[in-house]
Amino acid sequence: MSLCLSDRYASYLGHLQYRLHRSPNTKLVMDLLQVQEELNIVISITEQQIELVSSLQNILKPERKKDQSRASTRPYPHASVTTIPPADVSAYRQLSFSTHLSDPSAQLLDNLQREYADLVALRDNSNTLIDRTIQLVNMRLEDHGKAILVFTIVTIILLPLSFISSFFGMNFSDIRDMESTQRLFWLIAGCFKVSTVGLSLFFAFYGGATTE
C-alpha cells in the first residue's frame, strides 16, 4: 500500500507557494526549509529502500539477468528496475512500464523509483521557492529600511528642538525674567542638535567597534 508521499508534499508546497504570492515573510522561509529538510530525509530513506529491494531481487532470483536479456528484445522500451533513477528525470512516471511487470518485487521497486523521482523534483522546486521568497523578503526589508531611515532622521532633527522648547517654556522666574532674545534659544538649540546628530552618527557607524 503506497502512502503517496510525493502527492502530500506537492499539496503542501502548493499551499506554501500560495502564501508566497500573498505575503512573503521570514516564517515562510523557515517553513520551506523545514519541508526541504523533510524531503531530504524521505529521499534518503527511499534510496535505502530501493537498494534493499534490489539486493533482495538479486539474492532471490539469480536467473533475473536471463529474463532481462529476453525482455530486451520486446518491441516496447524497458526501464531498469534495479537502480535509482537519475535525479533530473522529472517525468519518470511517464517512462515507467510497471503494467508489464508481473513480479511483485519488481512492481514495488518500480513504484519506489517513481516516488523517488517525484520527491527529487519536489526538492528542486522547494529550492526555487526558497530563493524566490528570500528575494522578496529582502526587497520588503529594503523598503522598510528606507522608511525607518526617514523616520529616524526626522526624529533626530526635531527631538533637540522639542527638548529646548520645553525647557525654555517652563514657568520659572529665572527663565521668564531673562532679558535675552530668541538668539539665545536658537544658539542653544543649534549646538544641542549638532551634538545629538554627531553622537547618533558616531554610534551608528562606529558603535560596534567601540563596544568590542
Side-chain angles (χ1 to χ4, degrees), residues 2-47:
S2 177
L3 294 178
C4 295
L5 290 177
S6 59
D7 295 336
R8 295 175 183 268
Y9 280 106
S11 177
Y12 186 61
L13 283 177
H15 172 68
L16 294 180
Q17 188 173 6
Y18 173 74
R19 287 174 53 189
L20 169 62
H21 292 302
R22 290 196 61 185
S23 59
N25 49 44
T26 54
K27 185 179 183 303
L28 179 58
V29 177
M30 297 302 299
D31 293 340
L32 287 170
L33 290 175
Q34 290 178 358
V35 172
Q36 189 180 57
E37 184 177 357
E38 291 180 7
L39 284 172
N40 288 329
I41 295 173
V42 174
I43 288 173
S44 177
I45 295 175
T46 306
E47 290 177 352

mmCIF file of all heavy atoms in Angstrom, residues 2-47:
data_model
loop_
_atom_site.group_PDB
_atom_site.id
_atom_site.type_symbol
_atom_site.label_atom_id
_atom_site.label_comp_id
_atom_site.label_asym_id
_atom_site.label_seq_id
_atom_site.Cartn_x
_atom_site.Cartn_y
_atom_site.Cartn_z
ATOM 1 N N SER A 2 0.700 2.111 -0.958
ATOM 2 C CA SER A 2 1.528 3.301 -1.104
ATOM 3 C C SER A 2 0.883 4.493 -0.407
ATOM 4 O O SER A 2 -0.322 4.709 -0.493
ATOM 5 C CB SER A 2 1.735 3.620 -2.584
ATOM 6 O OG SER A 2 2.489 4.805 -2.725
ATOM 7 N N LEU A 3 1.707 5.258 0.306
ATOM 8 C CA LEU A 3 1.207 6.435 1.015
ATOM 9 C C LEU A 3 1.191 7.677 0.137
ATOM 10 O O LEU A 3 0.628 8.689 0.530
ATOM 11 C CB LEU A 3 2.090 6.692 2.250
ATOM 12 C CG LEU A 3 2.038 5.628 3.342
ATOM 13 C CD1 LEU A 3 3.001 5.999 4.474
ATOM 14 C CD2 LEU A 3 0.636 5.471 3.890
ATOM 15 N N CYS A 4 1.821 7.619 -1.041
ATOM 16 C CA CYS A 4 1.859 8.763 -1.963
ATOM 17 C C CYS A 4 2.401 10.005 -1.255
ATOM 18 O O CYS A 4 1.737 11.042 -1.172
ATOM 19 C CB CYS A 4 0.482 9.036 -2.548
ATOM 20 S SG CYS A 4 -0.153 7.718 -3.584
ATOM 21 N N LEU A 5 3.605 9.861 -0.713
ATOM 22 C CA LEU A 5 4.208 10.994 -0.017
ATOM 23 C C LEU A 5 4.442 12.166 -0.959
ATOM 24 O O LEU A 5 4.332 13.326 -0.554
ATOM 25 C CB LEU A 5 5.534 10.552 0.615
ATOM 26 C CG LEU A 5 5.429 9.594 1.804
ATOM 27 C CD1 LEU A 5 6.819 9.187 2.268
ATOM 28 C CD2 LEU A 5 4.660 10.235 2.944
ATOM 29 N N SER A 6 4.767 11.865 -2.208
ATOM 30 C CA SER A 6 5.012 12.953 -3.153
ATOM 31 C C SER A 6 3.761 13.803 -3.354
ATOM 32 O O SER A 6 3.848 15.034 -3.472
ATOM 33 C CB SER A 6 5.488 12.381 -4.490
ATOM 34 O OG SER A 6 4.516 11.489 -5.021
ATOM 35 N N ASP A 7 2.590 13.168 -3.376
ATOM 36 C CA ASP A 7 1.350 13.939 -3.525
ATOM 37 C C ASP A 7 1.088 14.818 -2.304
ATOM 38 O O ASP A 7 0.633 15.963 -2.430
ATOM 39 C CB ASP A 7 0.170 12.992 -3.743
ATOM 40 C CG ASP A 7 0.285 12.219 -5.050
ATOM 41 O OD1 ASP A 7 0.978 12.717 -5.960
ATOM 42 O OD2 ASP A 7 -0.302 11.132 -5.149
ATOM 43 N N ARG A 8 1.385 14.293 -1.131
ATOM 44 C CA ARG A 8 1.186 15.083 0.089
ATOM 45 C C ARG A 8 2.110 16.299 0.110
ATOM 46 O O ARG A 8 1.685 17.421 0.403
ATOM 47 C CB ARG A 8 1.428 14.212 1.321
ATOM 48 C CG ARG A 8 0.425 13.066 1.478
ATOM 49 C CD ARG A 8 0.798 12.180 2.649
ATOM 50 N NE ARG A 8 -0.108 11.054 2.771
ATOM 51 C CZ ARG A 8 -1.203 11.053 3.519
ATOM 52 N NH1 ARG A 8 -1.523 12.136 4.207
ATOM 53 N NH2 ARG A 8 -1.982 9.995 3.582
ATOM 54 N N TYR A 9 3.378 16.075 -0.202
ATOM 55 C CA TYR A 9 4.321 17.189 -0.203
ATOM 56 C C TYR A 9 4.028 18.169 -1.337
ATOM 57 O O TYR A 9 4.237 19.377 -1.187
ATOM 58 C CB TYR A 9 5.750 16.661 -0.313
ATOM 59 C CG TYR A 9 6.309 16.171 1.001
ATOM 60 C CD1 TYR A 9 6.460 14.812 1.249
ATOM 61 C CD2 TYR A 9 6.673 17.066 1.999
ATOM 62 C CE1 TYR A 9 6.965 14.360 2.460
ATOM 63 C CE2 TYR A 9 7.180 16.620 3.209
ATOM 64 C CZ TYR A 9 7.325 15.267 3.436
ATOM 65 O OH TYR A 9 7.819 14.822 4.636
ATOM 66 N N ALA A 10 3.560 17.667 -2.468
ATOM 67 C CA ALA A 10 3.206 18.564 -3.571
ATOM 68 C C ALA A 10 2.045 19.473 -3.170
ATOM 69 O O ALA A 10 2.031 20.671 -3.486
ATOM 70 C CB ALA A 10 2.850 17.752 -4.811
ATOM 71 N N SER A 11 1.076 18.917 -2.456
ATOM 72 C CA SER A 11 -0.051 19.728 -2.000
ATOM 73 C C SER A 11 0.404 20.789 -0.995
ATOM 74 O O SER A 11 -0.020 21.952 -1.064
ATOM 75 C CB SER A 11 -1.112 18.820 -1.373
ATOM 76 O OG SER A 11 -2.182 19.587 -0.849
ATOM 77 N N TYR A 12 1.284 20.398 -0.084
ATOM 78 C CA TYR A 12 1.749 21.356 0.924
ATOM 79 C C TYR A 12 2.622 22.438 0.292
ATOM 80 O O TYR A 12 2.537 23.618 0.664
ATOM 81 C CB TYR A 12 2.524 20.621 2.009
ATOM 82 C CG TYR A 12 2.919 21.507 3.167
ATOM 83 C CD1 TYR A 12 1.959 22.143 3.945
ATOM 84 C CD2 TYR A 12 4.254 21.714 3.483
ATOM 85 C CE1 TYR A 12 2.317 22.959 5.002
ATOM 86 C CE2 TYR A 12 4.621 22.524 4.537
ATOM 87 C CZ TYR A 12 3.650 23.142 5.296
ATOM 88 O OH TYR A 12 4.008 23.955 6.341
ATOM 89 N N LEU A 13 3.464 22.066 -0.669
ATOM 90 C CA LEU A 13 4.269 23.070 -1.362
ATOM 91 C C LEU A 13 3.389 24.027 -2.164
ATOM 92 O O LEU A 13 3.707 25.213 -2.296
ATOM 93 C CB LEU A 13 5.285 22.390 -2.279
ATOM 94 C CG LEU A 13 6.523 21.799 -1.603
ATOM 95 C CD1 LEU A 13 7.400 21.089 -2.629
ATOM 96 C CD2 LEU A 13 7.319 22.881 -0.890
ATOM 97 N N GLY A 14 2.280 23.517 -2.702
ATOM 98 C CA GLY A 14 1.343 24.409 -3.381
ATOM 99 C C GLY A 14 0.745 25.428 -2.421
ATOM 100 O O GLY A 14 0.558 26.601 -2.776
ATOM 101 N N HIS A 15 0.453 24.983 -1.199
ATOM 102 C CA HIS A 15 -0.056 25.913 -0.185
ATOM 103 C C HIS A 15 0.999 26.962 0.176
ATOM 104 O O HIS A 15 0.678 28.159 0.313
ATOM 105 C CB HIS A 15 -0.466 25.129 1.058
ATOM 106 C CG HIS A 15 -0.825 25.988 2.228
ATOM 107 N ND1 HIS A 15 -1.950 26.798 2.263
ATOM 108 C CD2 HIS A 15 -0.190 26.181 3.422
ATOM 109 C CE1 HIS A 15 -1.996 27.445 3.411
ATOM 110 N NE2 HIS A 15 -0.940 27.091 4.130
ATOM 111 N N LEU A 16 2.251 26.540 0.313
ATOM 112 C CA LEU A 16 3.316 27.496 0.622
ATOM 113 C C LEU A 16 3.544 28.469 -0.534
ATOM 114 O O LEU A 16 3.839 29.650 -0.308
ATOM 115 C CB LEU A 16 4.610 26.746 0.937
ATOM 116 C CG LEU A 16 4.602 25.879 2.205
ATOM 117 C CD1 LEU A 16 5.949 25.197 2.391
ATOM 118 C CD2 LEU A 16 4.254 26.709 3.437
ATOM 119 N N GLN A 17 3.392 27.990 -1.749
ATOM 120 C CA GLN A 17 3.531 28.885 -2.899
ATOM 121 C C GLN A 17 2.410 29.928 -2.918
ATOM 122 O O GLN A 17 2.629 31.086 -3.291
ATOM 123 C CB GLN A 17 3.528 28.073 -4.189
ATOM 124 C CG GLN A 17 3.850 28.890 -5.430
ATOM 125 C CD GLN A 17 3.999 28.023 -6.654
ATOM 126 O OE1 GLN A 17 3.754 26.820 -6.608
ATOM 127 N NE2 GLN A 17 4.397 28.619 -7.761
ATOM 128 N N TYR A 18 1.217 29.534 -2.504
ATOM 129 C CA TYR A 18 0.112 30.493 -2.395
ATOM 130 C C TYR A 18 0.429 31.557 -1.347
ATOM 131 O O TYR A 18 0.172 32.754 -1.556
ATOM 132 C CB TYR A 18 -1.167 29.739 -2.035
ATOM 133 C CG TYR A 18 -2.343 30.640 -1.734
ATOM 134 C CD1 TYR A 18 -3.007 31.314 -2.754
ATOM 135 C CD2 TYR A 18 -2.785 30.811 -0.424
ATOM 136 C CE1 TYR A 18 -4.079 32.147 -2.471
ATOM 137 C CE2 TYR A 18 -3.856 31.633 -0.140
ATOM 138 C CZ TYR A 18 -4.504 32.298 -1.167
ATOM 139 O OH TYR A 18 -5.563 33.121 -0.882
ATOM 140 N N ARG A 19 1.006 31.133 -0.220
ATOM 141 C CA ARG A 19 1.416 32.100 0.799
ATOM 142 C C ARG A 19 2.512 33.019 0.277
ATOM 143 O O ARG A 19 2.573 34.202 0.649
ATOM 144 C CB ARG A 19 1.900 31.361 2.045
ATOM 145 C CG ARG A 19 0.790 30.705 2.852
ATOM 146 C CD ARG A 19 1.363 29.867 3.980
ATOM 147 N NE ARG A 19 2.295 30.635 4.796
ATOM 148 C CZ ARG A 19 3.063 30.102 5.747
ATOM 149 N NH1 ARG A 19 2.996 28.796 5.978
ATOM 150 N NH2 ARG A 19 3.880 30.858 6.446
ATOM 151 N N LEU A 20 3.374 32.484 -0.578
ATOM 152 C CA LEU A 20 4.437 33.306 -1.155
ATOM 153 C C LEU A 20 3.865 34.436 -1.995
ATOM 154 O O LEU A 20 4.340 35.577 -1.934
ATOM 155 C CB LEU A 20 5.361 32.424 -1.995
ATOM 156 C CG LEU A 20 6.384 33.137 -2.885
ATOM 157 C CD1 LEU A 20 7.347 33.944 -2.033
ATOM 158 C CD2 LEU A 20 7.141 32.133 -3.736
ATOM 159 N N HIS A 21 2.836 34.152 -2.777
ATOM 160 C CA HIS A 21 2.234 35.186 -3.619
ATOM 161 C C HIS A 21 1.464 36.210 -2.778
ATOM 162 O O HIS A 21 1.352 37.373 -3.177
ATOM 163 C CB HIS A 21 1.298 34.552 -4.643
ATOM 164 C CG HIS A 21 2.016 33.738 -5.683
ATOM 165 N ND1 HIS A 21 2.984 34.258 -6.503
ATOM 166 C CD2 HIS A 21 1.921 32.425 -6.026
ATOM 167 C CE1 HIS A 21 3.442 33.327 -7.319
ATOM 168 N NE2 HIS A 21 2.822 32.198 -7.041
ATOM 169 N N ARG A 22 0.935 35.787 -1.642
ATOM 170 C CA ARG A 22 0.152 36.709 -0.818
ATOM 171 C C ARG A 22 1.043 37.604 0.037
ATOM 172 O O ARG A 22 0.970 38.833 -0.057
ATOM 173 C CB ARG A 22 -0.808 35.921 0.079
ATOM 174 C CG ARG A 22 -1.950 35.260 -0.671
ATOM 175 C CD ARG A 22 -3.048 34.855 0.282
ATOM 176 N NE ARG A 22 -3.599 36.001 0.986
ATOM 177 C CZ ARG A 22 -4.515 35.910 1.949
ATOM 178 N NH1 ARG A 22 -4.969 34.726 2.321
ATOM 179 N NH2 ARG A 22 -4.973 36.989 2.536
ATOM 180 N N SER A 23 1.865 37.000 0.878
ATOM 181 C CA SER A 23 2.692 37.801 1.789
ATOM 182 C C SER A 23 3.964 37.037 2.130
ATOM 183 O O SER A 23 3.973 36.221 3.059
ATOM 184 C CB SER A 23 1.917 38.130 3.070
ATOM 185 O OG SER A 23 1.512 36.952 3.719
ATOM 186 N N PRO A 24 5.036 37.250 1.389
ATOM 187 C CA PRO A 24 6.306 36.595 1.720
ATOM 188 C C PRO A 24 6.890 37.146 3.015
ATOM 189 O O PRO A 24 6.909 38.362 3.232
ATOM 190 C CB PRO A 24 7.197 36.924 0.514
ATOM 191 C CG PRO A 24 6.603 38.165 -0.069
ATOM 192 C CD PRO A 24 5.129 38.082 0.186
ATOM 193 N N ASN A 25 7.350 36.265 3.878
ATOM 194 C CA ASN A 25 7.947 36.679 5.143
ATOM 195 C C ASN A 25 8.964 35.634 5.579
ATOM 196 O O ASN A 25 9.129 34.588 4.949
ATOM 197 C CB ASN A 25 6.865 36.882 6.221
ATOM 198 C CG ASN A 25 5.901 35.714 6.303
ATOM 199 O OD1 ASN A 25 6.313 34.555 6.281
ATOM 200 N ND2 ASN A 25 4.613 36.000 6.371
ATOM 201 N N THR A 26 9.646 35.943 6.678
ATOM 202 C CA THR A 26 10.698 35.045 7.156
ATOM 203 C C THR A 26 10.127 33.724 7.672
ATOM 204 O O THR A 26 10.791 32.687 7.587
ATOM 205 C CB THR A 26 11.496 35.731 8.269
ATOM 206 O OG1 THR A 26 10.591 36.183 9.300
ATOM 207 C CG2 THR A 26 12.247 36.935 7.730
ATOM 208 N N LYS A 27 8.915 33.738 8.208
ATOM 209 C CA LYS A 27 8.305 32.490 8.678
ATOM 210 C C LYS A 27 8.079 31.529 7.516
ATOM 211 O O LYS A 27 8.235 30.309 7.658
ATOM 212 C CB LYS A 27 6.984 32.779 9.388
ATOM 213 C CG LYS A 27 6.352 31.533 10.016
ATOM 214 C CD LYS A 27 5.063 31.870 10.732
ATOM 215 C CE LYS A 27 4.486 30.638 11.420
ATOM 216 N NZ LYS A 27 4.252 29.519 10.491
ATOM 217 N N LEU A 28 7.721 32.073 6.360
ATOM 218 C CA LEU A 28 7.541 31.233 5.180
ATOM 219 C C LEU A 28 8.864 30.595 4.766
ATOM 220 O O LEU A 28 8.898 29.434 4.344
ATOM 221 C CB LEU A 28 6.965 32.072 4.036
ATOM 222 C CG LEU A 28 6.741 31.353 2.701
ATOM 223 C CD1 LEU A 28 5.800 30.171 2.876
ATOM 224 C CD2 LEU A 28 6.194 32.322 1.663
ATOM 225 N N VAL A 29 9.952 31.340 4.896
ATOM 226 C CA VAL A 29 11.269 30.773 4.581
ATOM 227 C C VAL A 29 11.585 29.611 5.515
ATOM 228 O O VAL A 29 12.090 28.563 5.085
ATOM 229 C CB VAL A 29 12.353 31.864 4.672
ATOM 230 C CG1 VAL A 29 13.734 31.269 4.424
ATOM 231 C CG2 VAL A 29 12.081 32.972 3.667
ATOM 232 N N MET A 30 11.275 29.771 6.796
ATOM 233 C CA MET A 30 11.525 28.694 7.753
ATOM 234 C C MET A 30 10.669 27.468 7.436
ATOM 235 O O MET A 30 11.145 26.325 7.527
ATOM 236 C CB MET A 30 11.235 29.188 9.173
ATOM 237 C CG MET A 30 12.131 30.330 9.632
ATOM 238 S SD MET A 30 13.881 29.908 9.593
ATOM 239 C CE MET A 30 13.921 28.550 10.757
ATOM 240 N N ASP A 31 9.416 27.684 7.050
ATOM 241 C CA ASP A 31 8.553 26.552 6.686
ATOM 242 C C ASP A 31 9.096 25.819 5.459
ATOM 243 O O ASP A 31 9.093 24.578 5.403
ATOM 244 C CB ASP A 31 7.130 27.042 6.418
ATOM 245 C CG ASP A 31 6.450 27.555 7.676
ATOM 246 O OD1 ASP A 31 6.908 27.190 8.779
ATOM 247 O OD2 ASP A 31 5.476 28.328 7.561
ATOM 248 N N LEU A 32 9.576 26.566 4.475
ATOM 249 C CA LEU A 32 10.137 25.936 3.283
ATOM 250 C C LEU A 32 11.411 25.160 3.611
ATOM 251 O O LEU A 32 11.643 24.068 3.065
ATOM 252 C CB LEU A 32 10.428 27.002 2.225
ATOM 253 C CG LEU A 32 9.206 27.603 1.516
ATOM 254 C CD1 LEU A 32 9.606 28.811 0.682
ATOM 255 C CD2 LEU A 32 8.538 26.563 0.629
ATOM 256 N N LEU A 33 12.226 25.702 4.498
ATOM 257 C CA LEU A 33 13.439 24.986 4.899
ATOM 258 C C LEU A 33 13.101 23.692 5.634
ATOM 259 O O LEU A 33 13.780 22.667 5.457
ATOM 260 C CB LEU A 33 14.311 25.888 5.775
ATOM 261 C CG LEU A 33 14.991 27.068 5.067
ATOM 262 C CD1 LEU A 33 15.716 27.945 6.072
ATOM 263 C CD2 LEU A 33 15.957 26.573 4.002
ATOM 264 N N GLN A 34 12.058 23.724 6.452
ATOM 265 C CA GLN A 34 11.640 22.506 7.145
ATOM 266 C C GLN A 34 11.140 21.451 6.157
ATOM 267 O O GLN A 34 11.459 20.261 6.286
ATOM 268 C CB GLN A 34 10.556 22.841 8.161
ATOM 269 C CG GLN A 34 11.051 23.639 9.360
ATOM 270 C CD GLN A 34 9.940 23.997 10.324
ATOM 271 O OE1 GLN A 34 8.770 23.688 10.082
ATOM 272 N NE2 GLN A 34 10.286 24.652 11.415
ATOM 273 N N VAL A 35 10.368 21.894 5.162
ATOM 274 C CA VAL A 35 9.893 20.951 4.145
ATOM 275 C C VAL A 35 11.072 20.363 3.366
ATOM 276 O O VAL A 35 11.110 19.157 3.078
ATOM 277 C CB VAL A 35 8.901 21.648 3.192
ATOM 278 C CG1 VAL A 35 8.544 20.741 2.026
ATOM 279 C CG2 VAL A 35 7.642 22.040 3.940
ATOM 280 N N GLN A 36 12.028 21.200 3.036
ATOM 281 C CA GLN A 36 13.196 20.711 2.307
ATOM 282 C C GLN A 36 13.986 19.698 3.138
ATOM 283 O O GLN A 36 14.467 18.684 2.613
ATOM 284 C CB GLN A 36 14.093 21.884 1.921
ATOM 285 C CG GLN A 36 15.219 21.519 0.980
ATOM 286 C CD GLN A 36 16.071 22.709 0.635
ATOM 287 O OE1 GLN A 36 16.627 23.360 1.517
ATOM 288 N NE2 GLN A 36 16.182 23.019 -0.639
ATOM 289 N N GLU A 37 14.108 19.957 4.423
ATOM 290 C CA GLU A 37 14.809 19.009 5.294
ATOM 291 C C GLU A 37 14.058 17.677 5.371
ATOM 292 O O GLU A 37 14.670 16.600 5.322
ATOM 293 C CB GLU A 37 14.959 19.616 6.688
ATOM 294 C CG GLU A 37 15.757 18.754 7.650
ATOM 295 C CD GLU A 37 15.939 19.419 8.996
ATOM 296 O OE1 GLU A 37 15.482 20.576 9.151
ATOM 297 O OE2 GLU A 37 16.527 18.788 9.891
ATOM 298 N N GLU A 38 12.737 17.749 5.467
ATOM 299 C CA GLU A 38 11.953 16.514 5.484
ATOM 300 C C GLU A 38 12.093 15.753 4.167
ATOM 301 O O GLU A 38 12.206 14.515 4.154
ATOM 302 C CB GLU A 38 10.486 16.842 5.750
ATOM 303 C CG GLU A 38 10.208 17.349 7.154
ATOM 304 C CD GLU A 38 8.742 17.654 7.370
ATOM 305 O OE1 GLU A 38 7.940 17.331 6.462
ATOM 306 O OE2 GLU A 38 8.391 18.208 8.426
ATOM 307 N N LEU A 39 12.085 16.479 3.053
ATOM 308 C CA LEU A 39 12.241 15.818 1.756
ATOM 309 C C LEU A 39 13.599 15.136 1.637
ATOM 310 O O LEU A 39 13.697 14.029 1.082
ATOM 311 C CB LEU A 39 12.058 16.841 0.631
ATOM 312 C CG LEU A 39 10.623 17.286 0.337
ATOM 313 C CD1 LEU A 39 10.610 18.431 -0.661
ATOM 314 C CD2 LEU A 39 9.792 16.126 -0.190
ATOM 315 N N ASN A 40 14.630 15.763 2.154
ATOM 316 C CA ASN A 40 15.953 15.135 2.120
ATOM 317 C C ASN A 40 15.963 13.835 2.919
ATOM 318 O O ASN A 40 16.567 12.837 2.500
ATOM 319 C CB ASN A 40 17.002 16.101 2.667
ATOM 320 C CG ASN A 40 17.291 17.252 1.722
ATOM 321 O OD1 ASN A 40 17.207 17.096 0.502
ATOM 322 N ND2 ASN A 40 17.622 18.403 2.269
ATOM 323 N N ILE A 41 15.278 13.843 4.059
ATOM 324 C CA ILE A 41 15.219 12.623 4.874
ATOM 325 C C ILE A 41 14.439 11.529 4.151
ATOM 326 O O ILE A 41 14.863 10.363 4.093
ATOM 327 C CB ILE A 41 14.587 12.940 6.242
ATOM 328 C CG1 ILE A 41 15.474 13.904 7.034
ATOM 329 C CG2 ILE A 41 14.361 11.660 7.036
ATOM 330 C CD1 ILE A 41 14.858 14.392 8.323
ATOM 331 N N VAL A 42 13.289 11.899 3.577
ATOM 332 C CA VAL A 42 12.467 10.911 2.877
ATOM 333 C C VAL A 42 13.196 10.366 1.653
ATOM 334 O O VAL A 42 13.142 9.161 1.356
ATOM 335 C CB VAL A 42 11.113 11.533 2.483
ATOM 336 C CG1 VAL A 42 10.303 10.567 1.637
ATOM 337 C CG2 VAL A 42 10.320 11.920 3.726
ATOM 338 N N ILE A 43 13.904 11.240 0.938
ATOM 339 C CA ILE A 43 14.661 10.786 -0.236
ATOM 340 C C ILE A 43 15.761 9.817 0.178
ATOM 341 O O ILE A 43 16.002 8.797 -0.486
ATOM 342 C CB ILE A 43 15.232 12.004 -0.987
ATOM 343 C CG1 ILE A 43 14.109 12.761 -1.702
ATOM 344 C CG2 ILE A 43 16.294 11.578 -1.995
ATOM 345 C CD1 ILE A 43 14.548 14.061 -2.327
ATOM 346 N N SER A 44 16.430 10.119 1.274
ATOM 347 C CA SER A 44 17.475 9.212 1.758
ATOM 348 C C SER A 44 16.893 7.847 2.127
ATOM 349 O O SER A 44 17.472 6.795 1.797
ATOM 350 C CB SER A 44 18.174 9.841 2.964
ATOM 351 O OG SER A 44 19.137 8.971 3.498
ATOM 352 N N ILE A 45 15.745 7.843 2.786
ATOM 353 C CA ILE A 45 15.107 6.572 3.149
ATOM 354 C C ILE A 45 14.660 5.818 1.897
ATOM 355 O O ILE A 45 14.799 4.588 1.806
ATOM 356 C CB ILE A 45 13.919 6.833 4.092
ATOM 357 C CG1 ILE A 45 14.416 7.413 5.420
ATOM 358 C CG2 ILE A 45 13.130 5.550 4.338
ATOM 359 C CD1 ILE A 45 13.309 7.823 6.362
ATOM 360 N N THR A 46 14.135 6.549 0.914
ATOM 361 C CA THR A 46 13.699 5.903 -0.326
ATOM 362 C C THR A 46 14.877 5.276 -1.062
ATOM 363 O O THR A 46 14.761 4.180 -1.634
ATOM 364 C CB THR A 46 12.990 6.923 -1.228
ATOM 365 O OG1 THR A 46 11.927 7.549 -0.498
ATOM 366 C CG2 THR A 46 12.406 6.252 -2.459
ATOM 367 N N GLU A 47 16.013 5.948 -1.063
ATOM 368 C CA GLU A 47 17.206 5.368 -1.684
ATOM 369 C C GLU A 47 17.601 4.061 -0.998
ATOM 370 O O GLU A 47 17.953 3.072 -1.665
ATOM 371 C CB GLU A 47 18.358 6.370 -1.618
ATOM 372 C CG GLU A 47 18.183 7.578 -2.522
ATOM 373 C CD GLU A 47 19.311 8.574 -2.355
ATOM 374 O OE1 GLU A 47 20.130 8.379 -1.428
ATOM 375 O OE2 GLU A 47 19.384 9.531 -3.138
#
